[in-house]
Amino acid sequence: MARTPRILITGDPTAYHVMSRTALDGYPMGDVEKDVFTSIIRRFSQIYFVEVIGFCLMGNHFHLLVRMRPEADFSDEAIKKRFAVLYGDEQVITDEQIPFYRNKWSNLSEFIKEIKLRFTRFYNRRHGRRGYFWGDRFKSLIVENGETLINCLAYIDLNPVRAGLVKKPEDYRWNSLGYHIQSKNKGNFLSLDFGLKEFGEKSAAERLRRYRRYVYETGAIKKGKGGAIQPKVVEKERKKGFKMTRTQ
């Protein structure tokens, strides 16, 4: 049976919620694996025409919220610079190769394929194994800007809370809120719009505070299976105005 073609939009910036699960039993991604996978995503987000809005790496699956930018946004010179970042200054891209890389680096499927393949190679070397790491091909959903986008991002960041791994979403360093707060968004890896730019908020720090408030208020509501942020934790943050402290 033929695979159903993915719905991908070209020509306009488009956000996608991407999900993929491992083919292995149990929870094969430990701390080291999650750290390496984070670095792989960060590295290739500098090459592909992608804006990473949010992510969460769990023991047996991952979520990504990304916005793909159209190839027309990038000049030939930008392609050459990204090629040099990926392959080094000693490798020179030809004019004939530029259309190929422009098309490849604007494609969501190519981006996900790249990061999953790189991680599989690392995992197999580390664990002395061969074969597949990931299960069926990844799932992707188009996400509209605004309330839909920020709700999707909060859902992604609340994964470790629902799984009972942490009490606060930012205590988990392999999700976007944890990365923002624990690493101060090292390397400017993640987008700072949170779907709130259209509401007129210009300060990145204030957007982060408002997004954190949104996550806590959303996480206070228990939906279906899994846990929620404890009421006393939410109330404490309400009293602080959801402001981040240095200890967080």
Side-chain angles (χ1 to χ4, degrees):
M1 182 176 179
R3 288 182 173 182
T4 302
R6 294 190 183 281
I7 299 177
L8 299 176
I9 296 176
T10 59
D12 293 305
T14 306
Y16 299 91
H17 177 197
V18 176
M19 299 153 281
S20 191
R21 186 172 294 274
T22 178
L24 306 186
D25 294 332
Y27 301 94
M29 288 199 288
D31 292 1
V32 172
E33 286 79 10
K34 292 173 189 174
D35 283 339
V36 170
F37 197 18
T38 301
S39 69
I40 290 172
I41 298 170
R42 185 172 63 230
R43 171 169 170 72
F44 284 94
S45 69
Q46 298 172 341
I47 306 299
Y48 282 76
F49 308 157
V50 60
E51 175 187 359
V52 181
I53 302 169
F55 76 106
C56 184
L57 310 182
M58 301 294 283
N60 61 0
H61 70 282
F62 73 84
H63 295 261
L64 274 176
L65 182 58
V66 298
R67 182 179 289 115
M68 298 303 298
R69 296 176 59 188
E71 59 185 69
D73 286 357
F74 297 86
S75 65
D76 289 359
E77 190 59 32
I79 303 293
K80 292 177 181 178
K81 288 181 179 179
R82 288 169 185 249
F83 185 89
V85 170
L86 182 58
Y87 295 108
D89 294 333
E90 65 277 5
Q91 297 290 330
V92 179
I93 188 174
T94 66
D95 290 342
E96 290 75 19
Q97 290 175 306
I98 288 176
F100 168 80
Y101 284 101
R102 174 178 277 113
N103 180 266
K104 175 183 173 70
W105 291 341
S106 63
N107 187 287
L108 173 68
S109 294
E110 289 292 330
F111 174 63
I112 301 301
K113 176 183 175 181
E114 184 98 61
I115 63 173
K116 290 173 68 173
L117 178 60
R118 299 277 177 161
F119 179 79
T120 298
R121 289 174 180 171
F122 157 78
Y123 187 89
N124 284 351
R125 285 197 305 268
R126 174 174 168 80
H127 295 277
R129 68 181 296 275
R130 294 182 180 180
Y132 294 104
F133 178 83
W134 302 103
D136 294 337
R137 64 177 185 153
F138 70 90
K139 299 177 182 179
S140 63
L141 299 171
I142 295 174
V143 181
E144 296 181 1
N145 289 327
E147 191 71 17
T148 302
L149 186 145
I150 193 172
N151 191 57
C152 178
L153 182 56
Y155 168 81
I156 290 171
D157 273 336
L158 285 166
N159 262 260
V161 176
R162 288 194 298 269
L165 301 178
V166 292
K167 293 182 178 180
K168 297 181 178 181
E170 67 263 34
D171 289 344
Y172 191 76
R173 73 173 185 262
W174 303 286
N175 68 358
S176 38
L177 192 54
Y179 191 89
H180 273 293
I181 294 175
Q182 293 190 35
S183 79
K184 308 301 181 186
N185 197 18
K186 179 182 177 182
N188 293 319
F189 169 39
L190 299 176
S191 166
L192 288 168
D193 77 27
F194 304 113
L196 296 176
K197 279 185 177 178
E198 62 192 60
F199 303 136
E201 181 51 56
K202 297 181 179 180
S203 164
E206 178 62 12
R207 287 200 302 273
L208 180 58
R209 187 191 71 82
R210 291 189 180 191
Y211 171 64
R212 186 168 180 266
R213 179 181 65 190
Y214 186 93
V215 172
Y216 270 71
E217 297 295 353
T218 301
I221 305 172
K222 188 170 183 178
K223 298 179 180 179
K225 295 181 179 180
I229 299 178
Q230 295 299 311
K232 62 181 180 181
V233 175
V234 179
E235 187 58 35
K236 181 179 179 181
E237 295 301 328
R238 285 173 180 158
K239 291 179 180 179
K240 294 194 303 183
F242 296 95
K243 295 179 180 179
M244 279 71 71
T245 63
R246 291 184 179 181
T247 57
Q248 293 175 329

